[in-house]
Amino acid sequence: MKVKALVLLSGGLDSGLAAKIIQKQGIVLKGVTFKSYFFDVSLAAQKQANELGIPLTIVDISQEQFSLVKKPHYGYGTGMNPCIDCHALMLRTAKELARKEKASFLITGDVLGQRPMSQNERAIMVIDREVDVEGLVLRPLSAKLLPVTISEKNGWVDRKKLFSIQGKSRRKQLELGKKFGLREYTTPAGGCLLTDPNFSQRLKNLLAKVKDPSSSDLALLKLGRHFWQKDILIVVGRNEKENKEIQELSQKGDMIVELKDIPGPTTLVRSWREKIGKANIEKAKKLTKYYSIKARNKGERKFLISNY
């Protein structure tokens, strides 16, 4: 009976390579990927899984991750990103899935030194100990720089065919990608919105005003220009796509302000505690007019105001 492993796929080159390296050693693979309020790589991961010829499970960790964002045990990175806590959450979830799938070990595309907070040896050891997966996680790209794992001790995986890649350079991975003929992978990027300074500041502002934001509140953080009037948030769309998304995120109690008979932004006004009030509606009108190229500095304009 062949040994089975669960590989964490992100759609990126590293996780694809990690899967391919172990797949070539005769291990049966199943994939898992994660999505949340702050990232969603499921489409890229699905393409990658299809190329590898393996099944993929997509797990939504939005609520669990948001709890960590509000109160991380190991702190934040450069933004509101609790990377160590988040990696631990993913491995804990993967561990449970591996148990159900009867997979003998886990595989990740971690590369030592690639990400300063979560991909250094100390952080990796902390994460594995926290989740109780010491020796269970194989990181093929940097395995020769790390302690021997269960999969190697048991002879399921040949350590000689693993790698000792470290640092931020992608040269070795790109060479391997070419060698293995990998085509489906995304270019390196932050991926998680929590690492973005602008998004992180918006989230901090929201959490300072709202104790338990809804999924709609969090989705709004990705859109438009934001203006706070005490406890009132005004969001002004920047293009047609955002205007449509802002409309779709409208909920009971919101107001939508638009220009009548002239192109311009869709502006959403949201309150969590108090009535929106006339002054805030007037502010929303001014912002809507200002951010319309055809209406700015051109006298009085009529508006459409919708209550939800």
Side-chain angles (χ1 to χ4, degrees), residues 49-255:
N50 292 345
E51 183 179 24
L52 292 164
I54 65 175
L56 179 72
T57 298
I58 300 168
V59 182
D60 190 325
I61 56 170
S62 295
Q63 290 292 337
E64 296 88 343
Q65 188 193 27
F66 190 39
S67 295
L68 296 175
V69 170
K70 289 190 281 188
K71 194 174 181 181
H73 182 71
Y74 293 102
Y76 299 109
T78 54
M80 288 284 284
N81 48 312
C83 290
I84 293 178
D85 295 89
C86 192
H87 274 66
L89 169 62
M90 290 181 190
L91 280 181
R92 186 177 294 110
T93 307
K95 176 187 171 185
E96 287 303 307
L97 183 60
R99 182 181 59 78
K100 292 175 185 175
E101 296 284 353
K102 295 182 170 53
S104 299
F105 62 103
L106 302 173
I107 302 163
T108 78
D110 290 331
V111 173
L112 279 182
Q114 190 172 96
R115 297 188 186 276
M117 188 174 183
S118 60
Q119 290 186 13
N120 60 75
E121 188 169 359
R122 180 183 171 278
I124 284 172
M125 296 302 108
V126 166
I127 291 167
D128 285 3
R129 188 165 57 250
E130 171 85 15
V131 186
D132 193 22
V133 289
E134 290 175 290
L136 189 65
V137 185
L138 178 63
R139 298 170 171 91
L141 296 174
S142 295
K144 288 183 177 179
L145 302 171
L146 296 167
V148 177
T149 63
I150 290 167
S151 61
E152 298 160 84
K153 288 177 182 176
N154 288 340
W156 303 331
V157 171
D158 185 351
R159 188 174 176 86
K160 292 176 185 176
K161 294 178 181 178
L162 304 179
F163 294 85
S164 54
I165 301 172
Q166 62 181 324
K168 294 184 179 181
S169 171
R170 312 285 294 174
R171 184 178 60 81
K172 184 63 178 176
Q173 289 99 306
L174 289 168
E175 287 175 2
L176 285 173
K178 210 172 273 186
K179 178 182 174 182
F180 291 143
L182 287 178
R183 298 181 305 278
E184 290 294 347
Y185 59 87
T186 55
T187 54
C192 182
L193 285 168
L194 295 168
T195 63
D196 178 79
N198 184 50
F199 183 87
S200 291
Q201 187 57 56
R202 287 184 175 187
L203 180 56
K204 285 178 185 176
N205 293 341
L206 179 65
L207 290 174
K209 306 280 188 180
V210 184
K211 185 180 178 182
D212 294 307
S214 67
S215 57
S216 173
D217 297 333
L218 295 171
L220 272 179
L221 299 181
K222 306 171 190 177
L223 303 172
R225 304 171 180 89
H226 285 221
F227 303 90
W228 283 96
Q229 302 292 109
K230 294 185 178 178
D231 291 334
I232 307 289
L233 176 62
I234 301 174
V235 181
V236 184
R238 289 175 289 201
N239 52 52
E240 189 176 349
K241 182 175 180 291
E242 285 196 345
N243 287 348
K244 185 179 178 183
E245 291 181 78
I246 287 169
Q247 284 275 12
E248 289 171 352
L249 287 170
S250 303
Q251 60 186 32
K252 188 176 179 181
D254 289 345
M255 280 192 173

Side-chain angles (χ1 to χ4, degrees), residues 3-7 22 27-31 103-107:
V3 176
K4 186 190 295 182
L6 186 71
V7 58
I22 302 307
I27 304 295
V28 176
L29 298 183
K30 287 202 168 188
S104 299
F105 62 103
L106 302 173
I107 302 163

Side-chain angles (χ1 to χ4, degrees), residues 243-295:
N243 287 348
K244 185 179 178 183
E245 291 181 78
I246 287 169
Q247 284 275 12
E248 289 171 352
L249 287 170
S250 303
Q251 60 186 32
K252 188 176 179 181
D254 289 345
M255 280 192 173
I256 291 288
V257 177
E258 297 170 290
L259 286 157
K260 188 177 183 180
D261 303 325
I262 190 170
T266 295
T267 299
L268 180 145
V269 189
R270 178 167 293 179
S271 175
W272 288 267
R273 283 183 289 277
E274 59 184 88
K275 288 184 178 179
I276 288 173
K278 187 176 179 181
N280 290 309
I281 295 171
E282 289 303 313
K283 179 67 175 179
K285 286 180 179 179
K286 286 179 182 178
L287 289 168
T288 305
K289 181 184 172 186
Y290 179 80
Y291 285 106
S292 169
I293 295 171
K294 292 193 174 183

Side-chain angles (χ1 to χ4, degrees), residues 8-24:
L8 282 69
L9 293 179
S10 67
L13 178 57
D14 293 341
S15 66
L17 283 172
K20 199 71 176 177
I21 290 164
I22 302 307
Q23 195 176 44
K24 279 184 168 291

